[in-house]
């Protein structure tokens, strides 16, 4: 319990410092930087998975609440960019596996599942079953998420002038209590139903689907207040930073450094896809960047919400990415493994 309270205090100090320094997204980047620094100097930290998942449900409800019939109809036009998602995953694997295996000396299983841009838990599970180094996988994927989440706000602000100072919603004091209760029901019930049926990303997708149904039916008329979005950012940022707890010098020199190099490859590759899609006028560049940046689902949802991006477009591409990786990665690993 002391470690948990200590973690919250460190994350809170990160928010305060970010607000003082006027950094973008202080409720997200503040906890990330503070917990990362604390982890690197050996401070024991711990989060509460149940609370972290509960905070993710807020994002699911926020996305679902933005759905309208016009938005649903517009999703039919996304196929021109959706079909590029599997191709980008193939390119990531084509570049990533040799990068980790030949340049850094990881075994095939660790190299393969380090390169796959899927969910952290799924890649750790698949990698462990294939005989990979779970600790290296954890640090590499945590670094992937951290670098992309930290880099994107500055890119969005620099290229498109996104104003991260605006509140991500209205104040809770202005929302009807009945709507607040309904959002809570959507979050918890959607999460548990999705978890029961085995849906991946249950804490986000379950609430999103249930909230979208109620929003399209006219029952849910508001999205979660600014205070709830800030709270979700706080816990997500804290979770990203604490993944480095217990990291050793050797792991920093090998696993984290290898991951940083891979992040450069990912950002360049995402940039090439964004430019190609922009040249052919298939989608707006900002939405394309958010949709094709291979960060974590929760983190990309936060950035898309605050940037005012087309939520349906961004979420559809990330859901497809996760589906393709989860379904295709184990099969492709067996096919291309040197042992096969």
């Amino acid at each position: 319990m002391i470690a948990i309270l200590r973690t919250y205090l460190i994350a809170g100090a990160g928010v305060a410092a970010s607000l003082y320094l006027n950094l973008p997204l202080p409720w997200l980047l503040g906890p990330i930087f503070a917990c990362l620094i604390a982890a690197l100097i050996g401070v024991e930290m711990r989060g509460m998975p149940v609370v972290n998942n509960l905070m993710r449900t807020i994002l699911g409800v926020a996305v679902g609440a933005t759905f309208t019939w016009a938005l649903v109809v517009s999703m039919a036009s996304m196929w021109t960019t959706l079909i590029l998602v599997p191709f980008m995953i193939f390119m990531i694997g084509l570049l990533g596996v040799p990068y980790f295996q030949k340049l850094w000396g990881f075994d095939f299983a660790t190299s393969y599942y380090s390169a796959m841009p899927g969910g952290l838990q799924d890649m750790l599970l698949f990698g462990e079953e294939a005989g990979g180094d779970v600790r290296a996988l954890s640090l590499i994927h945590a670094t992937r998420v951290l670098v992309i989440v930290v880099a994107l706000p500055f890119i969005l602000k620099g290229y498109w002038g996104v104003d991260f100072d605006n509140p991500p919603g209205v104040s809770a004091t202005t929302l009807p209590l009945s709507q607040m209760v309904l959002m809570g029901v959507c979050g918890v019930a959607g999460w548990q139903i999705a978890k029961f049926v085995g849906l991946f990303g249950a804490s986000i997708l379950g609430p999103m689907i249930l909230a979208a149904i109620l929003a399209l039916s006219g029952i849910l008329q508001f999205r979660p207040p600014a205070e709830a979005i800030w709270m979700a950012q706080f816990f997500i940022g804290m979770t990203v930073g604490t993944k480095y707890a217990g990291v050793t010098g050797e792991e920093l020199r090998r696993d984290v450094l290898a991951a940083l190099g891979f992040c450069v490859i990912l950002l360049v590759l995402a940039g090439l896809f964004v430019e190609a899609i922009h040249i052919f006028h298939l989608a707006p560049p900002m939405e394309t960047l958010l949709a094709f940046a291979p960060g974590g689902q929760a983190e990309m949802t936060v950035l898309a919400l605050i940037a005012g991006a087309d939520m349906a477009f961004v979420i559809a591409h990330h859901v497809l990415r996760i589906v393709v990786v989860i379904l295709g990665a184990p099969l492709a690993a067996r096919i291309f493994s040197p042992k096969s």
Side-chain angles (χ1 to χ4, degrees), residues 10 14 25 61 98 101 137 161 176 178 189 191 204-205 218 234 259-260 278 297-298 300 306 326 328 332:
I10 291 171
L25 294 177
V61 174
Q101 195 171 17
L137 286 168
S178 59
W191 170 26
I204 289 182
L205 293 185
F234 176 85
L260 289 173
H278 175 60
Q297 185 183 18
M300 294 300 98
I306 297 173
I326 289 176

Side-chain angles (χ1 to χ4, degrees), residues 2-16 34-35 234 238:
I2 294 177
I4 294 173
L5 291 175
R6 182 190 303 122
T7 305
Y8 289 175
L9 288 174
I10 291 171
V15 173
C35 291
F234 176 85
M238 185 177 67

Side-chain angles (χ1 to χ4, degrees), residues 31-326:
I32 287 179
F33 287 131
C35 291
L36 173 62
I37 293 169
L40 293 179
I41 62 177
V43 177
E44 182 185 357
M45 292 181 295
R46 189 178 309 145
M48 296 180 67
V50 173
V51 176
N52 294 342
N53 279 325
L54 190 62
M55 293 300 105
R56 291 163 71 95
T57 68
I58 295 172
L59 301 179
V61 174
V63 174
T66 64
F67 273 69
T68 62
W69 284 112
L71 196 61
V72 172
V73 171
S74 71
M75 293 176 71
S77 64
M78 298 178 191
W79 68 270
T80 53
T81 52
L82 286 171
I83 60 176
L84 296 175
V85 171
F87 180 63
M88 182 173 177
I89 293 170
F90 173 76
M91 292 299 298
I92 289 174
L94 191 66
L95 297 172
V97 175
Y99 168 81
F100 285 112
Q101 195 171 17
K102 304 298 184 184
L103 189 59
W104 292 95
F106 291 108
D107 58 75
F108 175 80
T110 305
S111 299
Y112 181 82
Y113 285 107
S114 292
M116 286 296 99
L120 174 65
Q121 299 304 323
D122 301 307
M123 295 305 98
L124 292 184
L125 177 61
F126 292 156
E128 184 176 22
E129 290 178 350
D133 184 336
V134 176
R135 176 63 176 173
L137 286 168
S138 177
L139 288 171
I140 288 168
H141 282 290
T143 303
R144 167 175 65 87
V145 172
L146 182 145
V147 170
I148 291 175
V149 170
V150 170
L152 281 185
F154 294 97
I155 295 173
L156 293 172
K157 191 177 184 68
Y159 278 86
W160 291 287
V162 174
D163 186 2
F164 291 106
D165 295 328
N166 289 330
V170 299
S171 172
T173 58
T174 66
L175 295 180
L177 180 60
S178 59
Q179 289 285 300
M180 297 280 284
V181 172
L182 189 58
M183 292 176 200
V185 171
C186 285
V188 176
W191 170 26
Q192 293 305 311
I193 293 171
K195 184 179 178 181
F196 178 77
V197 301
L199 181 66
F200 69 91
S203 60
I204 289 182
L205 293 185
M208 184 190 79
I209 293 170
L210 185 54
I213 292 171
L214 295 183
L216 291 172
S217 65
I219 298 174
L220 182 61
Q221 300 171 353
F222 298 90
R223 81 180 196 185
E227 294 87 347
I229 303 296
W230 283 326
M231 189 163 54
Q233 291 180 55
F234 176 85
F235 279 89
I236 288 169
M238 185 177 67
T239 301
V240 172
T242 54
K243 281 187 170 64
Y244 290 87
V247 66
T248 65
E250 177 59 30
E251 288 173 332
L252 281 173
R253 285 189 295 271
R254 186 193 187 197
D255 302 346
V256 176
L257 194 58
L260 289 173
F262 184 55
C263 287
V264 174
I265 295 174
L266 289 175
L267 288 170
V268 170
L269 190 59
L272 291 174
F273 271 80
V274 171
E275 185 62 25
I277 291 170
H278 175 60
I279 289 173
F280 289 99
H281 305 289
L282 299 179
M286 186 180 78
E287 274 77 2
T288 305
L289 177 61
L290 287 166
F292 281 83
Q297 185 183 18
E299 294 79 15
M300 294 300 98
T301 301
V302 167
L303 293 178
L305 274 170
I306 297 173
D310 182 337
M311 294 305 304
F313 183 86
V314 175
I315 295 300
H317 287 75
H318 281 290
V319 169
L320 179 60
R321 170 172 63 89
I322 300 298
V323 169
V324 170
V325 171
I326 289 176

